Amino acid sequence: MQWLKDHKFENHDEAAQGIDKAKAEGRQNAMRPLLNYVEAHNMERGEVRELRDKAEDAYNRGGKLSDTDDARGW
């Protein structure tokens, strides 16, 4: 038990890396339905760019609502 108490914070870097990986995967997964929609509707390049920009903006605004830095203790 004492060993666990002495070493309870040693995984901080690993936890932070896990959070970063989850964020990157979430970003990719969030765009997948949009890309499927674009492909299914044969959208023009300009339409795709506009739709992608709006989706990225919405995703980034949502990311500001919950800050993973708090989970890291920063």
Side-chain angles (χ1 to χ4, degrees), residues 21-38:
K21 181 180 177 187
K23 285 173 65 176
E25 289 173 355
R27 207 173 288 120
Q28 290 173 346
N29 291 337
M31 292 299 284
R32 180 59 46 208
L34 176 71
L35 297 174
N36 291 341
Y37 179 88
V38 164

Side-chain angles (χ1 to χ4, degrees), residues 22-31 53-65:
K23 285 173 65 176
E25 289 173 355
R27 207 173 288 120
Q28 290 173 346
N29 291 337
M31 292 299 284
D53 290 347
K54 287 180 181 180
E56 286 179 354
D57 181 53
Y59 184 87
N60 291 331
R61 282 184 284 123
K64 292 177 183 176
L65 298 177

Side-chain angles (χ1 to χ4, degrees), residues 10-56:
E10 287 189 5
N11 70 346
H12 181 74
D13 290 337
E14 294 162 6
Q17 289 173 354
I19 291 170
D20 290 340
K21 181 180 177 187
K23 285 173 65 176
E25 289 173 355
R27 207 173 288 120
Q28 290 173 346
N29 291 337
M31 292 299 284
R32 180 59 46 208
L34 176 71
L35 297 174
N36 291 341
Y37 179 88
V38 164
E39 185 176 326
H41 291 85
N42 296 320
M43 296 177 72
E44 293 182 21
R45 186 174 292 185
E47 294 174 306
V48 173
R49 187 177 305 116
E50 182 179 341
L51 189 59
R52 184 202 63 214
D53 290 347
K54 287 180 181 180
E56 286 179 354

